[in-house]
Amino acid sequence: MFELKNINKSFQLPTGETFQVLKDFSLSVNKGEVFGLIGLSGAGKSTALRTFNLLEAPDQGQVIFKGKDISTIQDKELRLVRQKIGMIFQHFNLLSNKTVSENVALSLKIAGWKSAQIKPRVMECLELVRLQDKHDVYPNQLSGGQKQRVAIARSIANNPDLLLADEPTSALDPLTKNEILECLLRLNKALGLTVVISTHEMGLVKKLCQRVAIINGGQNLETLDVREGQIQPTSSFGKALLETI
Ligand SMILES: Nc1ncnc2c1ncn2[C@@H]1O[C@H](COP(=O)(O)OP(=O)(O)OP(=O)(O)O)[C@@H](O)[C@H]1O
Ligand SMILES: [Mg+2]
């Protein structure tokens, strides 16, 4: 189980004012599920995602990773936890001067894998995202969808317990979006990988997620079951959002 419990988070603005981005924010994700965060721009989705791996440190509240509160861990302990939480982004964030294999290998090198084990693991991950034939090319020779699949291979290389996906398809055309969703779904099924994904798109939620949280104004308004076929929000914002998108 992965949880955010009663998280408060504020940012200091250049004007000296503080802006509270997460307000008593709680979210509970079950092992093995794909969980969506949906909401308008600025709602706090990325900040919530980044709290799971402490890229944003909460001002208050608990971050539970595999049963343990990690909200105040630091240094080596934090680095070890982060190695077990993969992350992918809207703009892929690949290193352009490294080949596909080298991009995937980097996370393993940082995690201290022995060099003899890195190559086979890199190829295994590239096979999982169906890109083994591209191992030797540079990112600028790939399509957007292929770049995102390299980023996915990199994010799963170290056998993470949790994958955070921050709008991973919003820079892609509709067909390529589907390619990435299918890839994530396959990994969720094959590896039992838990995924938390932020999005503006209900179509993505319906295809991929078991549950979705409606995020607005730094709050988790409600968590809805997607599998029942009909997503039935009770909050007025949730109802309005689902009518719009
Ligand atoms: N480092 C920061 N300093 C100040 N304000 C920030 C910082 N990061 C985020 N914010 C503000 O916090 C709010 C929530 O941002 P966040 O990126 O979490 O929203 P989001 O739901 O992911 O939006 P989008 O859908 O556009 O990605 C926004 O108003 C944003 O401007
Ligand atoms: Mg965001």
Side-chain angles (χ1 to χ4, degrees):
M1 186 106 104
F2 309 96
E3 284 181 276
L4 303 180
K5 279 188 171 174
N6 309 106
I7 301 287
N8 285 319
K9 172 74 183 178
S10 293
F11 289 117
Q12 195 82 35
L13 300 178
T15 55
E17 291 165 288
T18 54
F19 173 73
Q20 190 171 359
V21 54
L22 295 180
K23 299 167 187 163
D24 197 23
F25 190 101
S26 295
L27 188 72
S28 178
V29 178
N30 296 322
K31 193 171 181 300
E33 79 176 329
V34 184
F35 192 107
L37 305 181
I38 197 162
L40 303 178
S41 206
K45 304 178 298 294
S46 296
T47 309
L49 273 186
R50 291 161 61 83
T51 305
F52 273 106
N53 60 359
L54 298 172
L55 286 178
E56 301 293 354
D59 301 327
Q60 276 176 324
Q62 293 184 314
V63 181
I64 309 292
F65 178 71
K66 299 197 334 185
K68 185 176 171 239
D69 180 14
I70 59 164
S71 58
T72 57
I73 63 167
Q74 287 181 345
D75 304 329
K76 188 169 180 226
E77 208 183 349
L78 178 57
R79 284 200 297 278
L80 290 176
V81 165
R82 285 212 181 119
Q83 284 168 14
K84 288 295 176 187
I85 305 179
M87 193 159 189
I88 56 172
F89 307 89
Q90 183 176 354
H91 296 294
F92 326 126
N93 295 13
L94 299 177
L95 296 175
S96 57
N97 61 344
K98 295 204 179 292
T99 65
V100 163
S101 287
E102 287 165 349
N103 265 280
V104 179
L106 198 62
S107 58
L108 297 174
K109 276 190 191 149
I110 291 168
W113 282 54
K114 294 201 179 80
S115 46
Q117 290 170 343
I118 289 180
K119 205 171 172 193
R121 178 60 184 156
V122 167
M123 287 315 287
E124 201 171 46
C125 292
L126 289 176
E127 273 166 38
L128 280 167
V129 300
R130 316 251 156 100
L131 274 181
Q132 57 274 36
D133 55 329
K134 299 283 185 193
H135 66 99
D136 223 8
V137 311
Y138 286 87
N140 66 7
Q141 297 166 271
L142 298 174
S143 70
Q146 289 170 332
K147 283 181 195 164
Q148 192 60 293
R149 283 191 279 146
V150 176
I152 293 171
R154 178 178 62 182
S155 75
I156 60 165
N158 206 29
N159 292 310
D161 297 292
L162 177 64
L163 176 65
L164 306 172
D166 198 356
E167 293 190 45
T169 62
S170 43
L172 303 171
D173 67 73
L175 274 182
T176 314
K177 270 180 215 248
N178 271 340
E179 166 191 316
I180 296 303
L181 298 188
E182 274 161 25
C183 181
L184 289 172
L185 209 50
R186 202 170 63 240
L187 293 175
N188 167 255
K189 295 220 162 73
L191 311 175
L193 183 66
T194 311
V195 182
V196 187
I197 183 164
S198 80
T199 184
H200 298 123
E201 293 177 50
M202 211 53 213
L204 178 152
V205 168
K206 286 179 181 161
K207 276 195 188 123
L208 195 61
C209 301
Q210 276 109 65
R211 292 191 298 153
V212 62
I214 310 273
I215 313 298
N216 190 41
Q219 293 181 307
N220 175 3
L221 297 185
E222 54 184 328
T223 295
L224 305 170
D225 208 325
V226 180
R227 286 166 297 188
E228 285 168 2
Q230 275 201 321
I231 307 167
Q232 291 175 325
T234 54
S235 66
S236 52
F237 177 82
K239 284 179 188 162
L241 183 73
L242 261 63
E243 278 168 20
T244 325
I245 56 176

